Amino acid sequence: CDEALGCFMLKLTDQFQDCSIVRSRDKGTLDHCDVIIDVGGVYEPDNNRFDHHQRGFGEVFGHGFNTKLSSAGLVYKHYGRHIIASQMHLPVDHPDVQTVYLEMYKNFIEAVDAVDNGVGQFDTDSPAKYVVNSTLGARVARLNPTWNQPYTDEALDAGFAKAMQLAGQEFLESVHYVSQVWLPAKQIVAAAIAERHQVDPSGQIIVLKQGGVPWKDHLFSLEKELAVEVPILYVLYEDEREHKWRIQCAPPALGSFDQRKSMPEAWRGLRDDALSGVSGVPGCVFVHASGFIGGNATYEGALEMARKSVAA
């Protein structure tokens, strides 16, 4: 996976976009290559040599990331800013390019590095509760010839070409999401946090001006950045499809399925009139059985649900 992604990224650069790909471990062949990744036994960025298998290799991305790099991570470290700038149609020194460059490593490239280098995702020896076979690396691996298929150079090259397109397309989709969806959303979440005391004196409820905004990642980073002392508990937004209002609980950490404070136990699993009767709030639609999300027909109703949840 790492070499397929690395090759795809190199083809996005002005320097290597017209290069053909040669897959070989033969030193004589490698000596004539303009750039080498994942083979060769050396890491020499000034000579465009990017292997990570050699003894003593320990290069990391930096910027607070400590996972040992794969060939994809090495390519991204040295060419990623220019690739991101090109995709965003911005100068390479634009601050948004740097933001997306770092976010793409965090949410896409680092996982490729970790899997290729055998770095576990969790600091525990406990067995996984379920199996995940749909990761990028797993899907790329399935493009290799199986044990009961012909194992030829032609089959390997055909699979590698498919792997490049698979990994590369997901890379580009992620760049688009981070630069065109995730990054603009930060301003919306920041504005909601700035106006939180106008919504409720507690400062623990925020209202997003637009539904569908990816708010969780920004919430945690902005709470730190803006030195928010009292944690935000509930996020209100309008459902774009039904045009009803949602109240969602903030989790204690990014990726957690827990909540900082769930909605009241007595509300959970109820709907419509039954929920309105118990909560005392008109227009209730539902509260999930786990208490992490609920709905109301109006903004005023959702806000009242949130205020009662804060006070509970």
Side-chain angles (χ1 to χ4, degrees):
C1 180
D2 67 318
E3 67 268 32
L5 178 59
C7 286
F8 185 92
M9 289 191 291
L10 285 172
K11 296 281 282 182
L12 294 176
T13 66
D14 293 337
Q15 187 175 355
F16 302 117
Q17 63 180 343
D18 296 324
C19 288
S20 59
I21 295 173
V22 177
R23 303 188 71 215
S24 176
R25 295 182 185 277
D26 177 70
K27 187 178 184 304
T29 301
L30 297 179
D31 286 344
H32 291 89
C33 291
D34 296 299
V35 58
I36 301 172
I37 70 169
D38 214 44
V39 293
V42 293
Y43 168 51
E44 298 175 351
D46 291 341
N47 296 319
N48 297 326
R49 269 42 181 169
F50 301 104
D51 197 8
H52 67 107
H53 296 99
Q54 59 273 19
R55 189 184 182 116
F57 177 86
E59 189 75 9
V60 298
F61 186 68
H63 307 283
F65 297 98
N66 298 308
T67 300
K68 188 167 73 170
L69 299 179
S70 68
S71 61
L74 287 172
V75 170
Y76 189 77
K77 178 172 184 174
H78 291 280
Y79 297 99
R81 282 191 187 86
H82 292 275
I83 293 170
I84 297 299
S86 176
Q87 294 298 311
M88 294 180 69
H89 306 290
L90 290 174
V92 72
D93 59 353
H94 194 285
D96 285 353
V97 170
Q98 178 71 0
T99 299
V100 173
Y101 172 66
L102 296 177
E103 187 66 18
M104 277 296 299
Y105 185 77
K106 174 184 175 183
N107 282 300
F108 193 91
I109 303 293
E110 186 176 24
V112 177
D113 289 339
V115 170
D116 196 75
N117 284 303
V119 178
Q121 191 173 8
F122 304 101
D123 292 326
T124 177
D125 294 328
S126 300
K129 293 183 178 180
Y130 51 86
V131 175
V132 178
N133 281 323
S134 56
T135 63
L136 177 60
R139 285 178 284 125
V140 166
R142 287 195 286 271
L143 297 173
N144 286 313
T146 62
W147 67 270
N148 52 359
Q149 292 178 325
Y151 201 84
T152 64
D153 289 342
E154 290 77 11
L156 288 169
D157 288 343
F160 188 78
K162 291 179 181 178
M164 281 184 59
Q165 290 305 309
L166 172 62
Q169 185 61 37
E170 293 203 12
F171 172 78
L172 292 177
E173 289 172 357
S174 293
V175 172
H176 178 269
Y177 175 82
V178 171
S179 62
Q180 303 301 317
V181 180
W182 177 87
L183 185 59
K186 183 176 183 179
Q187 296 179 348
I188 296 175
V189 180
I193 293 175
E195 298 169 0
R196 67 191 185 281
H197 290 288
Q198 299 173 33
V199 173
D200 186 75
S202 70
Q204 295 187 287
I205 304 169
I206 65 172
V207 179
L208 300 178
K209 299 298 185 183
Q210 186 174 341
V213 172
W215 56 268
K216 292 181 182 179
D217 195 6
H218 294 305
L219 177 68
F220 296 110
S221 63
L222 285 167
E223 281 183 328
K224 292 181 180 179
E225 184 179 320
L226 301 174
V228 175
E229 295 183 357
V230 180
I232 292 162
L233 299 180
Y234 302 106
V235 180
L236 307 186
Y237 55 89
E238 187 178 23
D239 182 273
E240 293 181 308
R241 183 177 62 180
E242 297 182 355
H243 299 292
K244 296 179 181 180
W245 280 82
R246 295 283 185 265
I247 167 177
Q248 190 166 352
C249 305
L254 190 64
S256 173
F257 290 107
D258 295 327
Q259 295 89 48
R260 285 175 171 172
K261 187 176 185 181
S262 301
M263 281 179 271
E265 173 71 33
W267 300 2
R268 300 176 199 174
L270 299 182
R271 297 189 62 87
D272 305 322
D273 292 341
L275 177 57
S276 290
V278 171
S279 67
V281 180
C284 288
V285 178
F286 78 100
V287 169
H288 192 275
S290 67
F292 87 97
I293 192 170
N296 195 285
T298 68
Y299 164 70
E300 291 76 14
L303 178 57
E304 185 62 22
M305 292 173 72
R307 284 174 170 166
K308 289 196 170 191
S309 296
V310 168

